[in-house]
């Protein structure tokens, strides 16, 4: 059993859990103010790379955590775009 894979997979899942409040905040406030899309894009790209990287290196716990984190980052990014456009329409 690869304990480093399990630990890394848990970190990935923890990252997804920490992303969920940002998603719920955007859904509630319907405003993307003070959010840098550059940061979200960077971590989304990194997460998508990990989704490729982990299975190639037989890190399946990390892969599962990485997929979940990537999904939450994709949702967050889509909401940022959606609510940023709405902000521009009201100006």
């Amino acid at each position: 059993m690869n304990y480093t894979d399990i630990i890394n997979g848990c970190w990935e899942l923890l990252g997804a859990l920490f992303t969920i409040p940002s998603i719920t905040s955007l859904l509630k406030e319907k405003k993307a103010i003070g959010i840098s899309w550059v940061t979200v894009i960077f971590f989304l790209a990194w997460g998508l790379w990990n989704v490729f990287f982990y299975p190639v290196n037989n890190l399946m716990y990390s892969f599962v955590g990485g997929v979940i984190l990537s999904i939450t980052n994709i949702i967050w990014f889509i909401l940022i775009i959606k609510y940023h456009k709405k902000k521009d329409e009201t100006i």
Side-chain angles (χ1 to χ4, degrees):
M1 181 173 290
N2 185 345
Y3 291 105
T4 56
D5 180 28
I6 294 170
I7 292 168
N8 193 66
C10 289
W11 279 110
E12 296 276 352
L13 285 173
L14 191 60
L17 290 175
F18 284 144
T19 305
I20 291 171
S22 297
I23 293 169
T24 56
S25 177
L26 270 173
L27 288 170
K28 179 182 174 189
E29 299 296 328
K30 299 187 182 348
K31 296 178 189 172
I33 298 171
I35 299 171
S36 171
W37 59 270
V38 175
T39 305
V40 178
I41 291 256
F42 174 80
F43 285 104
L44 175 57
W46 186 1
L48 292 175
W49 165 253
N50 285 339
V51 169
F52 165 77
F53 179 81
Y54 290 145
V56 168
N57 290 288
N58 200 29
L59 301 168
M60 298 319 289
Y61 291 100
S62 296
F63 172 71
V64 170
V67 167
I68 294 169
L69 180 56
S70 292
I71 289 169
T72 59
N73 276 317
I74 289 167
I75 293 167
W76 190 22
F77 183 64
I78 289 169
L79 290 173
I80 289 171
I81 292 170
K82 176 182 177 180
Y83 293 124
H84 182 70
K85 285 184 179 181
K86 283 193 174 197
K87 182 185 80 168
D88 289 344
E89 291 170 2
T90 60
I91 293 175

